[in-house]
């Protein structure tokens, strides 16, 4: 399946613009919101939505093929995570961006993180090879194109840039590969003229700057917000005054790590309004303070409530032991990483020669 140059440019613009908007709109934990439809409901819903989105640009058979190849790739991560005893969510598909799984427990070391990251490109490559074999025996232009896209997507995913798989594999090989991704990845992105990958690269570059440049000069304090709905009807009946909307104060807190889900939590308390709450940290950190930023008074059917808005200020905690990987494992991951990239490049050239697919 080949497209004319004009049509290709139009499709590329739609692809990149859609990708960038999708990435900006759903970046962060909201990516997992669809999973609330049930264990597999979110995956099925997002898969159908992705097929429909791709079908706006490509034939529906090609759209379905892309999503199935993404599914195979994500199942590689799922299988690898299960082998390491880490529970995962069902795959979530994001139109024009790809797919992802959510780890319910964080890996305890870089070796485990790299193993899980490697699972996706390996199974994804096997899936694309299977499509290529079928295309060869059926001489199907559609399947040749699907195989080429499958090899290309898995190859791009190997760029040593977080949050791509290559960036996670690099944690077990050498973090110096992130510098290779920072420099070489930009060249690839400029060549591809991809807005989406430029956004990913820019976020990765900024994160490296904060961690290894700005963070070395002084402690970087980050923050995030949290909200709670607190019933206060009983306080009114007791004649206790409720603070106004502009009220500000610091809250006493405690922090702990849950061994079950490997997450850090912060518990806060405000004795005056009989409030106790728990906040999940986005990453491991040293808590500086928790303070109230404002109160919103609300009259709900079940009684009078206030919405308590607060902010958690913290500095990231970096455990250097996380990156301690045995030398033999570094060599194994490095060799597998390079071999997989060579295989993918070779298969792309093979599809080009056999199936007459443009590079």
């Amino acid at each position: 399946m080949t497209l004319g140059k004009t049509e290709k440019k139009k499709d590329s613009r739609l692809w990149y613009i859609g990708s960038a908007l999708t990435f900006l709109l759903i970046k962060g934990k909201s990516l997992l919101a669809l999973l609330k439809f049930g264990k597999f409901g979110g995956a099925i819903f997002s898969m159908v939505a992705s097929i429909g989105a791709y079908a706006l640009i490509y034939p529906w058979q090609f759209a379905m093929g892309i999503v199935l190849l993404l599914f195979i790739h994500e199942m590689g991560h799922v299988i690898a995570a299960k082998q390491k005893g880490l529970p995962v969510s069902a795959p979530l598909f994001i139109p024009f961006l790809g797919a992802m799984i959510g780890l319910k427990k964080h890996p305890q070391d870089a070796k485990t993180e790299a193993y899980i990251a490697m699972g996706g490109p390996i199974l994804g490559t096997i899936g694309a090879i299977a499509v290529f074999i079928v295309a060869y025996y059926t001489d199907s232009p559609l399947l040749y194109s699907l195989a080429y896209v499958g090899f290309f997507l898995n190859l791009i995913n190997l760029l040593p840039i977080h949050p791509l798989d290559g960036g996670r594999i690099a944690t077990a090989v050498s973090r110096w590969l992130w510098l290779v991704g920072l420099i070489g990845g930009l060249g690839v992105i400029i060549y591809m003229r991809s807005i989406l990958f430029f956004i990913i690269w820019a976020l990765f570059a900024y994160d490296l700057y904060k961690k290894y440049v700005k963070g070395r000069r002084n402690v970087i304090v980050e923050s995030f917000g949290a909200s709670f709905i607190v019933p206060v009807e009983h306080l009114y009946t007791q004649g206790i005054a409720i603070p106004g909307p502009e009220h500000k104060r610091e809250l006493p807190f405690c922090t702990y790590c849950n061994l079950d889900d490997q997450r850090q939590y912060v518990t806060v308390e405000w004795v005056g309004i009989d409030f106790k709450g728990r906040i999940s940290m986005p990453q491991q950190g040293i808590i500086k303070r928790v303070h109230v930023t404002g109160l919103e008074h609300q009259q709900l059917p079940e009684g009078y409530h206030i919405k308590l808005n607060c902010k958690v200020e913290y500095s990231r905690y970096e455990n250097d032991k996380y990156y301690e990987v045995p030398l033999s494992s570094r060599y194994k991951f490095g060799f597998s990483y390079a071999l997989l990239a060579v295989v993918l490049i070779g298969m792309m050239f093979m599809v080009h020669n056999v199936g007459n697919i443009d590079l």
Side-chain angles (χ1 to χ4, degrees):
M1 182 180 68
T2 57
L3 300 172
K5 291 183 178 179
T6 302
E7 192 175 359
K8 276 186 179 180
K9 291 181 179 178
K10 180 181 178 181
D11 291 345
S12 297
R13 286 195 296 269
L14 289 171
W15 179 285
Y16 298 141
I17 293 172
S19 300
L21 291 175
T22 303
F23 182 80
L24 291 174
L25 285 173
I26 60 180
K27 178 181 178 291
K29 291 184 178 179
S30 57
L31 289 171
L32 299 177
L34 284 175
L35 295 179
K36 294 180 181 178
F37 285 96
K39 186 174 182 180
F40 299 105
I44 296 172
F45 176 84
S46 61
M47 181 181 286
V48 172
S50 289
I51 293 174
Y54 292 129
L56 295 174
I57 301 175
Y58 304 109
W60 69 267
Q61 300 95 328
F62 188 76
M64 183 174 292
I66 291 176
V67 174
L68 288 176
L69 285 173
L70 290 173
F71 175 76
I72 293 172
H73 177 103
E74 292 305 314
M75 287 308 297
H77 293 309
V78 171
I79 294 171
K82 293 292 186 181
Q83 289 175 340
K84 292 297 183 179
L86 296 178
V88 297
S89 67
L92 176 65
F93 296 83
I94 308 160
F96 305 115
L97 185 58
M100 63 170 287
I101 61 169
L103 287 174
K104 298 179 181 179
K105 286 186 179 179
H106 293 295
Q108 293 300 296
D109 51 64
K111 182 179 176 181
T112 303
E113 180 182 357
Y115 185 87
I116 296 171
M118 185 73 79
I122 289 177
L123 194 61
T125 300
I126 294 172
I129 290 175
V131 174
F132 172 72
I133 293 173
V134 176
Y136 180 79
Y137 282 102
T138 60
D139 195 28
S140 168
L142 173 67
L143 293 180
Y144 276 128
S145 296
L146 274 175
Y148 184 86
V149 169
F151 293 131
F152 176 75
L153 291 178
N154 282 284
L155 180 63
I156 289 298
N157 238 308
L158 289 181
L159 283 173
I161 297 174
H162 265 291
L164 302 180
D165 294 332
R168 302 185 184 280
I169 296 170
T171 60
V173 180
S174 173
R175 281 179 283 176
W176 285 104
L177 283 175
W178 289 345
L179 183 60
V180 175
L182 188 66
I183 299 172
L186 180 60
V188 173
I189 291 166
I190 292 175
Y191 175 78
M192 292 173 56
R193 298 181 181 179
S194 169
I195 297 176
L196 168 63
F197 281 105
F198 178 77
I199 293 174
I200 294 175
W201 177 89
L203 291 172
F204 171 67
Y206 181 64
D207 187 63
L208 288 184
Y209 168 75
K210 288 197 301 180
K211 185 182 296 185
Y212 295 107
V213 179
K214 187 177 180 181
R216 288 186 179 276
R217 292 199 299 262
N218 52 349
V219 176
I220 300 174
V221 177
E222 302 183 51
S223 65
F224 67 95
S227 298
F228 300 92
I229 301 297
V230 184
V232 292
E233 184 74 27
H234 64 291
L235 299 179
Y236 273 107
T237 60
Q238 298 173 21
I240 299 176
I242 305 299
E246 301 300 323
H247 184 80
K248 305 286 190 301
R249 70 161 54 206
E250 290 196 18
L251 298 177
F253 65 87
C254 292
T255 183
Y256 68 94
C257 289
N258 189 317
L259 296 179
D260 292 330
D261 59 12
Q262 304 297 324
R263 296 190 66 87
Q264 180 181 359
Y265 294 92
V266 180
T267 59
V268 293
E269 183 178 11
W270 186 347
V271 177
I273 60 173
D274 296 333
F275 165 72
K276 290 183 179 180
R278 188 179 77 161
I279 304 169
S280 175
M281 292 287 293
Q283 63 254 329
Q284 295 290 319
I286 300 173
I287 313 301
K288 302 298 182 181
R289 67 170 183 152
V290 182
H291 59 101
V292 175
T293 58
L295 301 174
E296 299 177 27
H297 293 242
Q298 300 177 345
Q299 182 64 52
L300 302 178
E302 57 271 24
Y304 203 75
H305 291 67
I306 59 172
K307 181 179 180 182
L308 189 156
N309 299 312
C310 60
K311 181 177 290 186
V312 180
E313 296 181 359
Y314 69 100
S315 59
R316 294 191 187 188
Y317 171 72
E318 291 291 338
N319 183 8
D320 288 336
K321 290 185 177 180
Y322 182 88
Y323 299 102
E324 292 180 359
V325 178
L327 191 60
S328 59
S329 297
R330 291 186 185 276
Y331 284 139
K332 289 178 182 177
F333 278 113
F335 176 78
S336 302
Y337 180 48
L339 178 62
L340 185 57
V342 170
V343 169
L344 286 167
I345 293 172
M347 290 305 300
M348 288 176 65
F349 275 99
M350 185 177 293
V351 175
H352 167 66
N353 294 327
V354 176
N356 194 28
I357 301 297
D358 292 335
L359 293 174

